[in-house]
PDB file of all heavy atoms in Angstrom:
ATOM      1  N   VAL A 380    -159.784  18.367-157.174  1.00 94.00           N
ATOM      2  CA  VAL A 380    -158.800  17.379-157.624  1.00 94.00           C
ATOM      3  C   VAL A 380    -157.771  17.168-156.517  1.00 94.00           C
ATOM      4  O   VAL A 380    -157.104  18.116-156.096  1.00 94.00           O
ATOM      5  CB  VAL A 380    -158.086  17.843-158.917  1.00 94.00           C
ATOM      6  CG1 VAL A 380    -157.083  16.783-159.382  1.00 94.00           C
ATOM      7  CG2 VAL A 380    -159.097  18.127-160.019  1.00 94.00           C
ATOM      8  N   GLN A 381    -157.664  15.936-156.043  1.00 96.00           N
ATOM      9  CA  GLN A 381    -156.661  15.613-155.033  1.00 96.00           C
ATOM     10  C   GLN A 381    -155.333  15.333-155.730  1.00 96.00           C
ATOM     11  O   GLN A 381    -155.315  14.786-156.831  1.00 96.00           O
ATOM     12  CB  GLN A 381    -157.078  14.352-154.244  1.00 96.00           C
ATOM     13  CG  GLN A 381    -158.442  14.458-153.570  1.00 96.00           C
ATOM     14  CD  GLN A 381    -158.526  15.635-152.621  1.00 96.00           C
ATOM     15  OE1 GLN A 381    -157.633  15.839-151.814  1.00 96.00           O
ATOM     16  NE2 GLN A 381    -159.582  16.430-152.738  1.00 96.00           N
ATOM     17  N   VAL A 382    -154.246  15.686-155.080  1.00 98.00           N
ATOM     18  CA  VAL A 382    -152.933  15.382-155.651  1.00 98.00           C
ATOM     19  C   VAL A 382    -152.662  13.884-155.503  1.00 98.00           C
ATOM     20  O   VAL A 382    -152.767  13.328-154.418  1.00 98.00           O
ATOM     21  CB  VAL A 382    -151.829  16.189-154.931  1.00 98.00           C
ATOM     22  CG1 VAL A 382    -150.449  15.786-155.442  1.00 98.00           C
ATOM     23  CG2 VAL A 382    -152.061  17.679-155.130  1.00 98.00           C
ATOM     24  N   GLU A 383    -152.346  13.242-156.646  1.00 98.00           N
ATOM     25  CA  GLU A 383    -152.058  11.801-156.622  1.00 98.00           C
ATOM     26  C   GLU A 383    -150.612  11.562-157.031  1.00 98.00           C
ATOM     27  O   GLU A 383    -150.013  12.377-157.718  1.00 98.00           O
ATOM     28  CB  GLU A 383    -152.972  11.076-157.617  1.00 98.00           C
ATOM     29  CG  GLU A 383    -154.408  11.007-157.148  1.00 98.00           C
ATOM     30  CD  GLU A 383    -155.360  10.606-158.270  1.00 98.00           C
ATOM     31  OE1 GLU A 383    -154.878  10.191-159.343  1.00 98.00           O
ATOM     32  OE2 GLU A 383    -156.567  10.752-158.067  1.00 98.00           O
ATOM     33  N   ARG A 384    -150.098  10.415-156.687  1.00 98.00           N
ATOM     34  CA  ARG A 384    -148.706  10.079-157.024  1.00 98.00           C
ATOM     35  C   ARG A 384    -148.510  10.025-158.536  1.00 98.00           C
ATOM     36  O   ARG A 384    -149.474   9.843-159.295  1.00 98.00           O
ATOM     37  CB  ARG A 384    -148.336   8.734-156.400  1.00 98.00           C
ATOM     38  CG  ARG A 384    -149.059   7.562-157.053  1.00 98.00           C
ATOM     39  CD  ARG A 384    -148.418   6.242-156.663  1.00 98.00           C
ATOM     40  NE  ARG A 384    -149.213   5.114-157.144  1.00 98.00           N
ATOM     41  CZ  ARG A 384    -149.063   4.557-158.336  1.00 98.00           C
ATOM     42  NH1 ARG A 384    -148.191   5.044-159.208  1.00 98.00           N
ATOM     43  NH2 ARG A 384    -149.803   3.516-158.693  1.00 98.00           N
ATOM     44  N   SER A 385    -147.248  10.124-158.937  1.00 98.00           N
ATOM     45  CA  SER A 385    -146.918   9.990-160.362  1.00 98.00           C
ATOM     46  C   SER A 385    -147.052   8.520-160.780  1.00 98.00           C
ATOM     47  O   SER A 385    -146.942   7.620-159.942  1.00 98.00           O
ATOM     48  CB  SER A 385    -145.474  10.446-160.575  1.00 98.00           C
ATOM     49  OG  SER A 385    -144.622   9.646-159.776  1.00 98.00           O
ATOM     50  N   PRO A 386    -147.270   8.275-162.068  1.00 98.00           N
ATOM     51  CA  PRO A 386    -147.430   6.879-162.519  1.00 98.00           C
ATOM     52  C   PRO A 386    -146.075   6.179-162.640  1.00 98.00           C
ATOM     53  O   PRO A 386    -145.057   6.819-162.910  1.00 98.00           O
ATOM     54  CB  PRO A 386    -148.060   7.049-163.901  1.00 98.00           C
ATOM     55  CG  PRO A 386    -147.540   8.365-164.388  1.00 98.00           C
ATOM     56  CD  PRO A 386    -147.404   9.246-163.172  1.00 98.00           C
ATOM     57  N   LEU A 387    -146.088   4.876-162.493  1.00 98.00           N
ATOM     58  CA  LEU A 387    -144.902   4.079-162.829  1.00 98.00           C
ATOM     59  C   LEU A 387    -144.795   4.055-164.360  1.00 98.00           C
ATOM     60  O   LEU A 387    -145.787   4.302-165.063  1.00 98.00           O
ATOM     61  CB  LEU A 387    -145.054   2.657-162.285  1.00 98.00           C
ATOM     62  CG  LEU A 387    -145.221   2.551-160.769  1.00 98.00           C
ATOM     63  CD1 LEU A 387    -145.487   1.106-160.367  1.00 98.00           C
ATOM     64  CD2 LEU A 387    -143.995   3.086-160.043  1.00 98.00           C
ATOM     65  N   LEU A 388    -143.605   3.730-164.849  1.00 98.00           N
ATOM     66  CA  LEU A 388    -143.414   3.723-166.301  1.00 98.00           C
ATOM     67  C   LEU A 388    -144.314   2.676-166.961  1.00 98.00           C
ATOM     68  O   LEU A 388    -144.254   1.491-166.626  1.00 98.00           O
ATOM     69  CB  LEU A 388    -141.942   3.429-166.624  1.00 98.00           C
ATOM     70  CG  LEU A 388    -141.587   3.382-168.113  1.00 98.00           C
ATOM     71  CD1 LEU A 388    -141.870   4.711-168.792  1.00 98.00           C
ATOM     72  CD2 LEU A 388    -140.125   2.986-168.295  1.00 98.00           C
ATOM     73  N   GLY A 389    -145.172   3.124-167.852  1.00 97.00           N
ATOM     74  CA  GLY A 389    -146.043   2.202-168.588  1.00 97.00           C
ATOM     75  C   GLY A 389    -147.160   1.611-167.756  1.00 97.00           C
ATOM     76  O   GLY A 389    -147.827   0.664-168.200  1.00 97.00           O
ATOM     77  N   GLU A 390    -147.410   2.196-166.593  1.00 97.00           N
ATOM     78  CA  GLU A 390    -148.419   1.630-165.681  1.00 97.00           C
ATOM     79  C   GLU A 390    -149.805   1.529-166.334  1.00 97.00           C
ATOM     80  O   GLU A 390    -150.580   0.628-166.029  1.00 97.00           O
ATOM     81  CB  GLU A 390    -148.497   2.511-164.422  1.00 97.00           C
ATOM     82  CG  GLU A 390    -149.433   1.994-163.357  1.00 97.00           C
ATOM     83  CD  GLU A 390    -149.377   2.818-162.064  1.00 97.00           C
ATOM     84  OE1 GLU A 390    -148.432   3.615-161.882  1.00 97.00           O
ATOM     85  OE2 GLU A 390    -150.311   2.662-161.258  1.00 97.00           O
ATOM     86  N   HIS A 391    -150.097   2.450-167.245  1.00 98.00           N
ATOM     87  CA  HIS A 391    -151.449   2.488-167.806  1.00 98.00           C
ATOM     88  C   HIS A 391    -151.498   2.101-169.284  1.00 98.00           C
ATOM     89  O   HIS A 391    -152.473   2.407-169.974  1.00 98.00           O
ATOM     90  CB  HIS A 391    -152.049   3.884-167.603  1.00 98.00           C
ATOM     91  CG  HIS A 391    -152.033   4.313-166.165  1.00 98.00           C
ATOM     92  ND1 HIS A 391    -151.040   5.122-165.651  1.00 98.00           N
ATOM     93  CD2 HIS A 391    -152.852   4.009-165.145  1.00 98.00           C
ATOM     94  CE1 HIS A 391    -151.262   5.320-164.364  1.00 98.00           C
ATOM     95  NE2 HIS A 391    -152.351   4.658-164.024  1.00 98.00           N
ATOM     96  N   THR A 392    -150.430   1.465-169.773  1.00 97.00           N
ATOM     97  CA  THR A 392    -150.376   1.133-171.203  1.00 97.00           C
ATOM     98  C   THR A 392    -151.604   0.313-171.625  1.00 97.00           C
ATOM     99  O   THR A 392    -152.328   0.684-172.567  1.00 97.00           O
ATOM    100  CB  THR A 392    -149.076   0.355-171.535  1.00 97.00           C
ATOM    101  OG1 THR A 392    -147.968   1.176-171.170  1.00 97.00           O
ATOM    102  CG2 THR A 392    -148.992   0.030-173.016  1.00 97.00           C
ATOM    103  N   ASP A 393    -151.851  -0.783-170.926  1.00 96.00           N
ATOM    104  CA  ASP A 393    -152.967  -1.665-171.312  1.00 96.00           C
ATOM    105  C   ASP A 393    -154.299  -0.927-171.207  1.00 96.00           C
ATOM    106  O   ASP A 393    -155.144  -1.004-172.107  1.00 96.00           O
ATOM    107  CB  ASP A 393    -153.003  -2.907-170.406  1.00 96.00           C
ATOM    108  CG  ASP A 393    -151.807  -3.817-170.680  1.00 96.00           C
ATOM    109  OD1 ASP A 393    -151.012  -3.467-171.575  1.00 96.00           O
ATOM    110  OD2 ASP A 393    -151.674  -4.852-170.002  1.00 96.00           O
ATOM    111  N   GLU A 394    -154.451  -0.222-170.094  1.00 97.00           N
ATOM    112  CA  GLU A 394    -155.711   0.507-169.840  1.00 97.00           C
ATOM    113  C   GLU A 394    -155.992   1.522-170.959  1.00 97.00           C
ATOM    114  O   GLU A 394    -157.120   1.635-171.439  1.00 97.00           O
ATOM    115  CB  GLU A 394    -155.533   1.210-168.486  1.00 97.00           C
ATOM    116  CG  GLU A 394    -156.647   2.066-167.998  1.00 97.00           C
ATOM    117  CD  GLU A 394    -156.236   2.699-166.656  1.00 97.00           C
ATOM    118  OE1 GLU A 394    -155.838   1.976-165.714  1.00 97.00           O
ATOM    119  OE2 GLU A 394    -156.294   3.942-166.567  1.00 97.00           O
ATOM    120  N   ILE A 395    -154.950   2.225-171.391  1.00 98.00           N
ATOM    121  CA  ILE A 395    -155.151   3.259-172.417  1.00 98.00           C
ATOM    122  C   ILE A 395    -155.441   2.614-173.782  1.00 98.00           C
ATOM    123  O   ILE A 395    -156.351   3.039-174.503  1.00 98.00           O
ATOM    124  CB  ILE A 395    -153.941   4.220-172.458  1.00 98.00           C
ATOM    125  CG1 ILE A 395    -153.943   5.070-171.180  1.00 98.00           C
ATOM    126  CG2 ILE A 395    -153.983   5.123-173.686  1.00 98.00           C
ATOM    127  CD1 ILE A 395    -152.637   5.741-170.859  1.00 98.00           C
ATOM    128  N   LEU A 396    -154.694   1.558-174.099  1.00 98.00           N
ATOM    129  CA  LEU A 396    -154.940   0.886-175.388  1.00 98.00           C
ATOM    130  C   LEU A 396    -156.374   0.350-175.442  1.00 98.00           C
ATOM    131  O   LEU A 396    -157.055   0.474-176.462  1.00 98.00           O
ATOM    132  CB  LEU A 396    -153.954  -0.276-175.582  1.00 98.00           C
ATOM    133  CG  LEU A 396    -152.475   0.105-175.811  1.00 98.00           C
ATOM    134  CD1 LEU A 396    -151.603  -1.144-175.876  1.00 98.00           C
ATOM    135  CD2 LEU A 396    -152.306   0.936-177.086  1.00 98.00           C
ATOM    136  N   ALA A 397    -156.821  -0.209-174.328  1.00 97.00           N
ATOM    137  CA  ALA A 397    -158.147  -0.848-174.337  1.00 97.00           C
ATOM    138  C   ALA A 397    -159.264   0.174-174.118  1.00 97.00           C
ATOM    139  O   ALA A 397    -160.135   0.355-174.971  1.00 97.00           O
ATOM    140  CB  ALA A 397    -158.206  -1.938-173.270  1.00 97.00           C
ATOM    141  N   SER A 398    -159.224   0.885-173.003  1.00 96.00           N
ATOM    142  CA  SER A 398    -160.422   1.675-172.683  1.00 96.00           C
ATOM    143  C   SER A 398    -160.401   3.087-173.248  1.00 96.00           C
ATOM    144  O   SER A 398    -161.453   3.694-173.433  1.00 96.00           O
ATOM    145  CB  SER A 398    -160.664   1.688-171.172  1.00 96.00           C
ATOM    146  OG  SER A 398    -159.557   2.232-170.534  1.00 96.00           O
TER     147      SER A 398
END
Side-chain angles (χ1 to χ4, degrees):
V380 181
Q381 303 303 313
V382 175
E383 288 166 11
R384 69 166 173 89
S385 59
L387 300 175
L388 180 61
E390 184 174 345
H391 305 97
T392 301
D393 291 359
E394 178 182 306
I395 290 162
L396 291 176
S398 59

